[in-house]
Amino acid sequence: MKRNGIWTIVFVLLAGGMLLGNQDDTVVKPLTMQQAIDIALENNAEMIQSGNQLALAQLRVKQRKSNFLPSGQVNLSVAKHVGKEWNVISDGFESSNVNTVALSYGSTLNLFNGFYDTASLKQSILDLKGTE
């Protein structure tokens, strides 16, 4: 019983000494007004949201500009059909293996759509200027 009491006292003294020793190591520096403002602006949710809206507006302008470019697509299709089919000439079934490969390319270019692309580009540029 005495041993446990002694070990408890030793533990409390060591733990207390470690806690007091850690307090001396940490130095709290006072912030200047400008540092406090900078930290508040970095963590402000409205400022983060505003930055996201600006990035979104810039992406919309790029997207509207890309509407003036042609679009293209390439398709490749490979197929193999294996089976039996009835041959009228030999009057019986024959094995059939058919391999097909198809490659196609398509491109579209919008020549005129009632100035929709032009109006949407102008609108997205105005939205970008409004968010800046």
Side-chain angles (χ1 to χ4, degrees):
M1 188 78 171
K2 284 185 175 183
R3 265 188 159 167
N4 288 340
I6 292 173
W7 283 111
T8 305
I9 292 172
V10 169
F11 176 74
V12 169
L13 290 175
L14 287 176
M18 288 173 36
L19 290 175
L20 291 175
N22 285 341
Q23 287 179 355
D24 293 336
D25 292 341
T26 53
V27 178
V28 178
K29 295 180 182 178
L31 294 175
T32 64
M33 181 61 81
Q34 187 60 42
Q35 289 173 336
I37 291 172
D38 291 341
I39 291 171
L41 288 176
E42 286 176 9
N43 297 327
N44 189 349
E46 290 179 8
M47 294 297 291
I48 294 170
Q49 184 178 11
S50 174
N52 290 340
Q53 288 176 348
L54 179 63
L56 180 62
Q58 291 170 343
L59 285 174
R60 283 189 183 138
V61 170
K62 286 182 182 180
Q63 180 185 12
R64 299 295 191 233
K65 286 181 181 179
S66 70
N67 288 341
F68 291 96
L69 300 174
S71 64
Q73 61 184 12
V74 177
N75 296 319
L76 176 65
S77 173
V78 178
K80 181 173 185 169
H81 301 282
V82 178
K84 294 195 178 251
E85 61 183 24
W86 181 262
N87 190 342
V88 179
I89 297 172
S90 66
D91 198 28
F93 284 103
E94 291 182 356
S95 294
S96 170
N97 290 327
V98 178
N99 297 320
T100 58
V101 177
L103 176 66
S104 64
Y105 172 76
S107 178
T108 59
L109 175 63
N110 186 7
L111 297 176
F112 182 72
N113 64 351
F115 298 111
Y116 174 78
D117 290 337
T118 306
S120 64
L121 176 61
K122 286 180 182 178
Q123 181 64 45
S124 63
I125 290 172
L126 289 174
D127 291 342
L128 175 62
K129 287 180 182 178
T131 56
E132 291 177 341

